[in-house]
Amino acid sequence: MILKCCIIDDEPLAIELLESYVKKTPFLQLEASFNSAIQAIERISKGDIDLLFLDIQMPELSGMEFSKMIEGKCRIIFTTAFGQYAVDSYKVNAIDYLLKPIAYSDFLKAAQKALQWFELSATPTTESPQPDNQYIFVKSDYKLKQIPLDKILYIEGLKDYVKIYLEGEPHPILSLLSLKSLEDMLPEERFIRVHRSFIVQGCKIKMIDRNRIVFGKEYIPISDTYKESFAEFIARHSPLIGKQ
């Protein structure tokens, strides 16, 4: 896999260094370099750039501000001389964060992390359960994990990931796939979408409190969009409601 990348930095020497690093990294292909984020807007907006090496502190439009404008598949590796921005970089879903002066070993680690991200996102991460199957496979931490359907409580969708909450497990399983793709793999007679960000397993619902499904200390909202289909789902499993 080859990643198309761009460099944005207002320091010519920093651009020169990063260009040299990109050129000797086999899986990176340099498309363009820019001295400011404003100059790069038109090129990045074409949507074909995979990876952006982006300086945070720049005049007129900072790297952090510019990152919030980027849509699509493009991922970011921030570069800066100030370590105080590390936490903020992860708030905007950056792949990694490089502190200047940047050594090639650190650059390569960050680039490999980006490559792994794209390889993972391009790999089918679930196996569609057949009628006699009672489990799915998801990729998590670069490993395929088998998840018994009977153990799933609910699933939360994030921007590029899902969190799968299991009965008896203190921490959810994190996997790189969309909530919609996972929904398509699950048997619809058992799982129901209740919110744009949540799917629940019907047989695991113990209590519903004011349009919220209660799982221990967690409350899953039932949005207006899915309220009718959820009511129909509950009615099919409740003789009392079904007769009303």
Side-chain angles (χ1 to χ4, degrees):
M1 178 178 286
I2 302 296
L3 303 183
K4 293 183 178 181
C5 61
C6 284
I7 299 167
I8 305 178
D9 200 304
D10 63 336
E11 299 177 6
L13 290 178
I15 288 181
E16 185 178 339
L17 178 66
L18 290 173
E19 286 179 340
S20 69
Y21 286 172
V22 169
K23 289 175 182 177
K24 65 179 180 179
T25 305
F27 56 85
L28 295 182
Q29 176 179 310
L30 183 63
E31 294 294 313
S33 297
F34 302 94
N35 295 115
S36 74
I38 293 176
Q39 293 177 1
I41 290 175
E42 183 177 356
R43 180 65 185 87
I44 301 301
S45 65
K46 292 182 179 179
D48 64 331
I49 298 301
D50 300 307
L51 187 59
L52 184 60
F53 294 93
L54 179 61
D55 186 27
I56 290 180
Q57 280 204 323
M58 292 184 292
E60 296 182 302
L61 183 64
S62 74
M64 197 66 69
E65 292 169 334
F66 183 60
S67 68
K68 297 174 183 177
M69 301 166 55
I70 297 174
E71 299 179 350
K73 66 175 182 176
C74 184
R75 288 296 175 265
I76 298 166
I77 295 177
F78 280 115
T79 63
T80 184
F82 302 95
Q84 69 206 53
Y85 293 107
V87 175
D88 288 337
S89 70
Y90 291 104
K91 289 182 180 178
V92 292
N93 203 26
I95 288 287
D96 210 344
Y97 169 89
L98 292 172
L99 190 62
K100 298 177 181 180
I102 301 169
Y104 180 66
S105 58
D106 293 331
F107 175 91
L108 184 59
K109 287 179 183 177
Q112 287 175 330
K113 187 183 292 187
L115 179 64
Q116 289 175 340
W117 191 95
F118 279 97
E119 287 178 339
L120 183 59
S121 64
T123 302
T125 54
T126 62
E127 183 177 282
S128 178
Q130 299 302 314
D132 59 341
N133 283 349
Q134 298 300 315
Y135 55 83
I136 57 174
F137 281 103
V138 300
K139 185 169 285 188
S140 180
D141 296 328
Y142 308 109
K143 299 175 184 176
L144 275 175
K145 294 185 178 180
Q146 184 192 99
I147 300 179
L149 295 183
D150 286 341
K151 292 193 68 177
I152 298 176
L153 292 173
Y154 64 95
I155 303 161
E156 179 181 6
L158 306 174
K159 183 178 181 182
D160 298 303
Y161 298 83
V162 294
K163 285 182 177 181
I164 304 173
Y165 293 83
L166 304 179
E167 199 168 35
E169 298 292 338
H171 303 293
I173 291 177
L174 190 67
S175 184
L176 181 62
L177 72 163
S178 71
L179 189 63
K180 181 61 171 65
S181 64
L182 185 54
E183 181 183 18
D184 292 340
M185 301 294 178
L186 296 171
E188 62 181 15
E189 69 275 9
R190 295 179 60 178
F191 292 86
I192 177 75
R193 186 83 168 259
V194 299
H195 188 275
R196 66 177 183 178
S197 300
F198 290 99
I199 295 172
V200 301
Q201 179 159 205
C203 66
K204 300 297 182 180
I205 298 174
K206 306 300 183 185
M207 185 184 302
I208 302 171
D209 179 19
R210 289 174 292 184
N211 287 323
R212 297 180 302 173
I213 301 168
V214 183
F215 285 104
K217 296 181 179 180
E218 300 298 324
Y219 288 79
I220 307 302
I222 304 168
S223 71
D224 290 340
T225 303
Y226 298 96
K227 190 175 294 183
E228 183 176 348
S229 59
F230 180 70
E232 292 174 356
F233 182 88
I234 294 297
R236 290 199 301 270
H237 298 84
S238 173
L240 179 61
I241 296 177
K243 291 178 180 179
Q244 293 179 348

